[in-house]
Amino acid sequence: MWKMRKITKYLNSKAESEYTMLDRLLKQYLDGELEMVLKRYGFTKIEIFSKIGKRENDLQIYFRYYNFALDIDFSDRAFDYTAYLPGISAEEYENSIIRCNYEKNFSFEGFVARLQSELSQDTRLKK
């Protein structure tokens, strides 16, 4: 619970008009929106972790989609994500990471919808 207070204190320290994309995501996390969106698209075993630091802030989300394990790491400037089958090697994991810059009108729900659509078409998916 102290992490939630730390995020709230951090967000209250600036005007909403000054929020970065990560700040908006942290706000959605506090409001429970991130988990709701993931559940709406069929993702399970959702774990969300945040770090508010002097140098950099971070939001990590780990979750499952049937036999896929996924993680997303949001930072102030960009984010990366990966979808993989558990049991892969560290090298395979590293090679599966996709790094992205935030689009001007980035939407977490839009990103999740695209991700779920891609996974639904993946031949390795086992429902």
Side-chain angles (χ1 to χ4, degrees):
M1 214 52 191
W2 65 271
K3 284 213 176 230
M4 296 296 202
R5 285 194 303 263
K6 192 170 185 176
I7 295 170
T8 301
K9 183 178 177 182
Y10 164 74
L11 291 174
N12 287 339
S13 73
K14 54 168 67 172
E16 218 170 297
S17 61
E18 297 173 0
Y19 279 10
T20 65
M21 185 53 64
L22 178 60
D23 295 340
R24 290 186 191 97
L25 291 165
L26 288 167
K27 174 87 169 91
Q28 288 178 302
Y29 167 51
L30 284 179
D31 295 342
E33 292 176 34
L34 299 182
E35 190 168 352
M36 281 186 343
V37 167
L38 289 166
K39 286 179 178 178
R40 191 176 318 129
Y41 285 90
F43 295 101
T44 60
K45 298 183 182 179
I46 301 162
E47 297 180 84
I48 303 175
F49 304 94
S50 64
K51 183 181 93 180
I52 305 297
K54 293 183 190 231
R55 295 179 187 215
E56 190 170 7
N57 301 321
D58 189 78
L59 182 69
Q60 297 173 331
I61 307 174
Y62 300 95
F63 51 104
R64 298 294 295 255
Y65 188 71
Y66 296 99
N67 60 317
F68 280 97
L70 300 100
D71 61 55
I72 309 173
D73 187 4
F74 294 103
S75 68
D76 285 318
R77 291 179 219 88
F79 68 99
D80 58 55
Y81 70 96
T82 186
Y84 59 94
L85 297 173
I88 64 172
S89 70
E91 184 178 336
E92 289 172 312
Y93 177 85
E94 283 296 318
N95 290 335
S96 71
I97 295 173
I98 299 170
R99 289 172 174 68
C100 303
N101 291 317
Y102 295 109
E103 297 168 0
K104 185 176 182 175
N105 49 357
F106 176 82
S107 154
F108 181 74
E109 184 159 3
F111 170 74
V112 169
R114 284 190 306 276
L115 184 59
Q116 189 267 349
S117 177
E118 289 174 16
L119 291 172
S120 292
Q121 297 174 22
D122 194 306
T123 57
R124 301 171 296 166
L125 179 66
K126 293 183 180 152
K127 288 189 175 185

